[in-house]
Amino acid sequence: SRPILDMSYSRHFLDFQGSSIPSSMKKLVVTKLSQNFREAVTLQQDSPVPLPGDGDLLVRNRFVGINASDINYSAGRYDASVKPPFDIGFEGVGDVVALGLSASADYTVGQAVAYVKAGSFAEYTVVPARHAVPLPSVKPEFLTLMVSGATAYISLKELGDLSEGKKVLVTAAAGGTGQFAVQLAKKAKCHVIGTCSSDEKGGFLKSIGCDRTINYKTENVESVLRKDYPEGVDVVYESVGGKMFDLALNSLAVKGRLIVIGFITGYQNPTGLQPIKAELLPAKLLKKSASIRGFFLNHYLSEYKMALKHLLEMYERGDLVCEVDFGDMSSEGKFTGLESVFRAVDYMYMGKNIGKIVVELPHSVNSKL
């Protein structure tokens, strides 16, 4: 151990009643490009704890979020120029344990923060203060809003054109992002249909306002949509890809909009894609004056702070359910510690989760913060 780092040289940051930061930590590192997360990623036991610069915070991570795109990142699909080894994990919530002089203008040691930045699958992460989000406390629910909640909020606001009475179909509706698409569409007074893979998920969806749930394991989604919604649906919020994409496209109403936020069924393939029947796409869109829009959060960062502020206010008022899945029902139990990130990714791709999958990183024994 070494004494807590006081990058600010300011006396009031020095009295921590003996708290200390270790000199090394565990973190996950991509050591080989592969869409197979277990092949691509290595748990390093003794990486140096990074030092915060003048405008940085050193955050001790308490909760980290699992995203479907973690395996796109480990496969090197976002930036072909990046070569292993590189850090992984997109989002975290934790405590500030050290900070730079400029950062100390807005933050103090012990403050709860959340952030979106590559490298969260680590015990400690350096976060630029300007990218951190101050929180009232360290709670896993806040983590659900950082990527998943913000994606649903901004994509529906910018691309959804929601209004009262519109019919909205959300695929993978009980997942980390789907749960927010359902609730936000309901708040816009839309009629919401959600697809899911179990009756338990269907029950959760009804509890957050879904008007019609379709368990695709026991019901034929295409038949249900054709029978119950013969005029089609106005908006599809799609994250599954493959056959579900084709089905969603065919179910659009006149002037319908299909918002693509992902295609999880393809991510584990070497190409990252699942075949779709795209040959008839121009004709299908023309026939219905329909449109398809892609949404990638990084392209809408100008809207991010506003969206997050609104989402946090909604949660604090009790107007938003932020369902967290710690994997308690998984075969080996709750996701605790960085070594369980591998299990958590598998759990997501087995379609087991209800809500956002979160891994808890337990307190270090040598820190009193």
Side-chain angles (χ1 to χ4, degrees), residues 149-203:
T151 294
Y153 184 98
I154 300 171
S155 60
L156 287 173
K157 177 175 175 287
E158 296 292 317
L159 311 177
D161 193 24
L162 301 183
S163 59
E164 186 171 355
K166 291 279 176 74
K167 295 183 281 294
V168 178
L169 170 65
V170 181
T171 64
T177 306
Q179 65 171 328
F180 294 112
V182 168
Q183 293 179 80
L184 293 168
K186 278 307 292 180
K187 289 187 186 309
K189 299 182 177 175
C190 297
H191 176 92
V192 184
I193 310 133
T195 70
C196 60
S197 60
S198 71
D199 290 341
E200 186 189 2
K201 291 184 180 187

Side-chain angles (χ1 to χ4, degrees), residues 27-44 68-77 82-89 121 267-270 341-342 345-346 349:
K27 72 173 180 176
L28 295 186
V29 178
V30 175
T31 49
K32 171 190 171 187
L33 294 183
S34 172
Q35 77 282 353
N36 181 325
F37 193 83
R38 288 180 180 270
E39 278 183 16
V41 179
T42 303
L43 174 61
Q44 294 190 349
S69 46
D70 287 327
I71 68 173
N72 285 335
Y73 201 67
S74 72
R77 289 177 184 145
V82 175
K83 300 287 182 274
F86 54 87
D87 297 346
I88 191 167
F121 292 163
Y267 293 171
Q268 289 181 305
N269 295 345
V341 167
F342 298 96
V345 170
D346 290 344
Y349 279 91

Side-chain angles (χ1 to χ4, degrees), residues 41-311:
V41 179
T42 303
L43 174 61
Q44 294 190 349
Q45 299 281 353
D46 54 356
S47 296
V49 171
L51 301 179
D54 179 62
D56 297 333
L57 312 173
L58 181 63
V59 178
R60 190 190 65 204
N61 294 313
R62 297 271 299 282
F63 300 101
V64 294
I66 305 297
N67 292 282
S69 46
D70 287 327
I71 68 173
N72 285 335
Y73 201 67
S74 72
R77 289 177 184 145
Y78 290 140
D79 185 351
S81 67
V82 175
K83 300 287 182 274
F86 54 87
D87 297 346
I88 191 167
F90 291 132
E91 55 186 340
V93 167
D95 313 290
V96 175
V97 292
L99 71 176
L101 180 58
S102 298
S104 69
D106 298 304
Y107 290 91
T108 59
V109 164
Q111 189 162 356
V113 294
Y115 64 90
V116 176
K117 177 182 178 287
S120 71
F121 292 163
E123 292 179 317
Y124 296 86
T125 303
V126 167
V127 179
R130 68 183 186 279
H131 293 159
V133 178
L135 298 174
S137 60
V138 175
K139 286 170 73 171
E141 286 79 8
F142 292 126
L143 191 56
T144 68
L145 303 175
M146 299 303 293
V147 171
S148 299
T151 294
Y153 184 98
I154 300 171
S155 60
L156 287 173
K157 177 175 175 287
E158 296 292 317
L159 311 177
D161 193 24
L162 301 183
S163 59
E164 186 171 355
K166 291 279 176 74
K167 295 183 281 294
V168 178
L169 170 65
V170 181
T171 64
T177 306
Q179 65 171 328
F180 294 112
V182 168
Q183 293 179 80
L184 293 168
K186 278 307 292 180
K187 289 187 186 309
K189 299 182 177 175
C190 297
H191 176 92
V192 184
I193 310 133
T195 70
C196 60
S197 60
S198 71
D199 290 341
E200 186 189 2
K201 291 184 180 187
F204 165 67
L205 289 173
K206 284 178 180 152
S207 77
I208 59 172
C210 207
D211 297 288
R212 174 67 160 97
T213 61
I214 308 174
N215 178 351
Y216 63 79
K217 294 281 180 74
T218 59
E219 295 181 274
N220 183 299
V221 180
E222 191 171 11
S223 301
V224 170
L225 290 172
R226 197 180 298 126
K227 175 175 170 289
D228 293 357
Y229 306 95
E231 300 294 309
V233 295
D234 301 295
V235 178
V236 182
Y237 192 83
E238 218 296 272
S239 61
V240 176
K243 290 176 181 172
M244 187 63 84
F245 174 90
D246 291 327
L247 193 154
L249 178 66
N250 292 337
S251 71
L252 284 176
V254 170
K255 297 183 183 175
R257 292 172 300 288
L258 197 163
I259 302 171
V260 177
I261 65 138
F263 36 94
I264 190 171
T265 52
Y267 293 171
Q268 289 181 305
N269 295 345
T271 61
L273 296 167
Q274 187 91 325
I276 59 169
K277 295 174 184 170
E279 301 86 5
L280 299 174
L281 188 59
K284 287 179 178 179
L285 294 178
L286 183 62
K287 185 180 176 183
K288 295 179 175 178
S289 294
S291 63
I292 299 175
R293 295 290 299 272
F295 179 88
F296 186 48
L297 184 60
N298 289 12
H299 298 148
Y300 288 85
L301 293 181
S302 60
E303 305 292 313
Y304 184 78
K305 285 210 163 174
M306 173 279 300
L308 203 57
K309 180 174 181 286
H310 195 187
L311 288 165

